[in-house]
Amino acid sequence: MTDKIYDIVIIGGGPGGIGCAIEASSHKIGEILLIEKTDNHSNTIRKFYKDNKRVDKDYKGQVATLQGNVEFFDGTKETTLDYFDDLLDSEKIDSSFNTEVEKIVRVEELLEVHTSNGIVRTKNAAITIGKMGKPNKPSYKIPPSIKAQVNFNLDKCSSNEKVLVVGGGNSAAEYAYDLADQNNNVTMVYRKAEFSRLNEINEEILTKYHGEEKLRLRMSTDVESLENDAGKVKVNYNDGFSVLYDRVIYAIGGTTPVDFLKSCGVEVDENSKPIFDEHHETTAKCVYVAGDIALKSGGSIAIALNHGYHIVNNIIRKRGQIFSHTDIVAKLEDPK
């Protein structure tokens, strides 16, 4: 355990975590620590965004006015990462990469953040991790011989492949039309007759691409099993048909890391989402959430950055209340 007591420990190095760190530094709230389980910040952008991919401030129609000290603009994967590098380089922020956080425990007036590298103490903590703990996987077995051709994200995808995307949510839609834009032959299969979870932008793009034959929508159909057929993925559907694909991508949802949230003292609702107030403070005192884990539909960098602004302002507001109370007590004890 380090002897240093931080004013805020931020768990997660994505846009929400970066927003918290920059706002905390700009407002000079004290000692700041950013913890990230990978070897660098913005891992999702680094890993899943193709080179030169556009990164929009207003993601999929989620228009947001930036409220804090980060001026974020439309750009590319590369310009966005460079910008975040510059922000973090210019501020006084401690960082700990390749570090897993196990739990947060309140000990009197401080929080103990238990990590793979030891325990750090802090007055406040912000959980800014993604909402997907682990992706949901199908109930049927995926043959080991074709596991390299079965994905749960866009990692390792290329172009000129025949690809099946399984799922009916926003992630599935975004995978499907992004792959179509990369000159792949894409089919998106969904077990229901209509989409019920898509935002308007994604549904509009899917419908447009389907009408233009840029991809195929296969509705009211489910996958029963996968087989290896001479190196191809043979997909057996519940309507009796079987089709060969180069690659299958599952986007059938995932789980909010409920166990981790509970280990931090954070209560979740009936949908396993963290419960928090308008300042993003959870049911665990001085523990906040920001970024995708605090969003109904993820992806908006601008909204995640704004979360950091609200969190830091609430910390400052609460400090003001403490100082005001202290001043009142002092005046009562010494009327002079």
Side-chain angles (χ1 to χ4, degrees):
M1 179 187 290
T2 177
D3 291 333
K4 180 182 284 189
I5 297 176
Y6 287 94
D7 289 271
I8 185 168
V9 168
I10 300 156
I11 303 161
I18 292 171
C20 283
I22 298 303
E23 293 300 330
S25 180
S26 298
H27 286 87
K28 297 179 172 57
I29 71 165
E31 299 289 344
I32 307 160
L33 174 65
L34 177 67
I35 299 176
E36 166 58 36
K37 67 178 181 180
T38 66
D39 60 2
N40 212 331
H41 67 84
S42 309
N43 182 63
T44 298
I45 295 175
R46 294 178 191 278
K47 188 173 182 180
F48 300 128
Y49 280 50
K50 297 181 183 298
D51 292 345
N52 297 312
K53 178 179 173 62
R54 281 181 57 82
V55 179
D56 296 328
K57 183 183 83 68
D58 297 327
Y59 179 79
K60 305 300 180 190
Q62 300 178 71
V63 179
T65 300
L66 290 165
Q67 299 170 306
N69 289 279
V70 180
E71 296 181 3
F72 185 75
F73 304 96
D74 294 346
T76 65
K77 169 185 176 179
E78 290 76 15
T79 61
T80 298
L81 292 175
D82 287 345
Y83 178 57
F84 286 157
D85 280 340
D86 290 342
L87 286 175
L88 293 171
D89 285 348
S90 64
E91 302 292 343
K92 185 182 176 183
I93 299 166
D94 290 348
S95 60
S96 179
F97 293 101
N98 295 310
T99 302
E100 293 272 0
V101 174
E102 301 162 0
K103 61 183 177 179
I104 301 174
V105 178
R106 174 162 289 283
V107 179
E108 297 179 349
E109 292 303 311
L110 292 176
L111 299 169
E112 288 188 351
V113 181
H114 293 240
T115 80
S116 53
N117 293 325
I119 298 173
V120 294
R121 294 180 296 170
T122 182
K123 299 172 185 175
N124 301 278
I127 300 171
T128 66
I129 60 179
K131 66 175 67 175
M132 304 291 278
K134 292 183 179 180
N136 288 335
K137 296 187 177 181
S139 57
Y140 44 84
K141 182 180 179 180
I142 299 174
S145 59
I146 56 172
K147 280 190 174 180
Q149 295 147 270
V150 178
N151 298 59
F152 295 88
N153 50 55
L154 293 185
D155 192 24
K156 299 180 181 178
C157 292
S158 57
S159 58
N160 300 310
E161 288 187 322
K162 186 175 181 180
V163 183
L164 176 69
V165 177
V166 183
N170 288 301
S171 293
E174 290 162 16
Y175 289 170
Y177 62 70
D178 186 72
L179 288 165
D181 287 339
Q182 303 300 319
N183 297 316
N184 291 289
N185 180 346
V186 182
T187 298
M188 179 173 169
V189 62
Y190 186 43
R191 58 189 174 82
K192 296 182 180 180
E194 295 179 351
F195 295 113
S196 58
R197 295 180 289 129
L198 291 185
N199 63 46
E200 292 180 2
I201 302 295
N202 282 337
E203 187 159 9
E204 181 181 328
I205 294 174
L206 272 189
T207 302
K208 179 176 180 287
Y209 275 37
H210 177 63
E212 296 175 351
E213 297 185 353
K214 289 186 176 181
L215 58 78
R216 180 189 178 195
L217 297 178
R218 188 165 183 165
M219 310 296 288
S220 301
T221 309
D222 208 352
V223 177
E224 287 195 336
S225 63
L226 302 184
E227 299 177 38
N228 184 343
D229 189 325
K232 299 284 187 180
V233 182
K234 182 180 180 181
V235 177
N236 301 311
Y237 292 108
N238 61 353
D239 57 8
F241 288 93
S242 297
V243 181
L244 297 181
Y245 297 93
D246 296 307
R247 188 173 304 279
V248 175
I249 300 176
Y250 287 93
I252 51 179
T255 55
T256 300
V258 175
D259 290 340
F260 174 69
L261 289 172
K262 289 182 177 179
S263 72
C264 298
V266 177
E267 295 179 12
V268 298
D269 62 18
E270 63 275 8
N271 297 312
S272 299
K273 307 299 182 185
I275 298 171
F276 56 92
D277 63 17
E278 68 272 21
H279 306 294
H280 288 260
E281 187 171 8
T282 69
T283 52
K285 181 183 176 183
C286 299
V287 177
Y288 299 82
V289 287
D292 278 2
I293 200 169
L295 286 168
K296 290 183 178 179
S297 58
S300 174
I301 292 176
I303 295 176
L305 293 171
N306 283 345
H307 289 174
Y309 168 80
H310 291 297
I311 288 170
V312 171
N313 272 273
N314 191 54
I315 292 172
I316 294 170
R317 180 186 64 83
K318 290 171 72 174
R319 280 184 173 182
Q321 291 176 346
I322 294 170
F323 295 153
S324 296
H325 175 72
T326 303
D327 291 341
I328 291 171
V329 171
K331 287 181 179 180
L332 288 174
E333 292 177 348
D334 185 5
K336 298 180 182 179

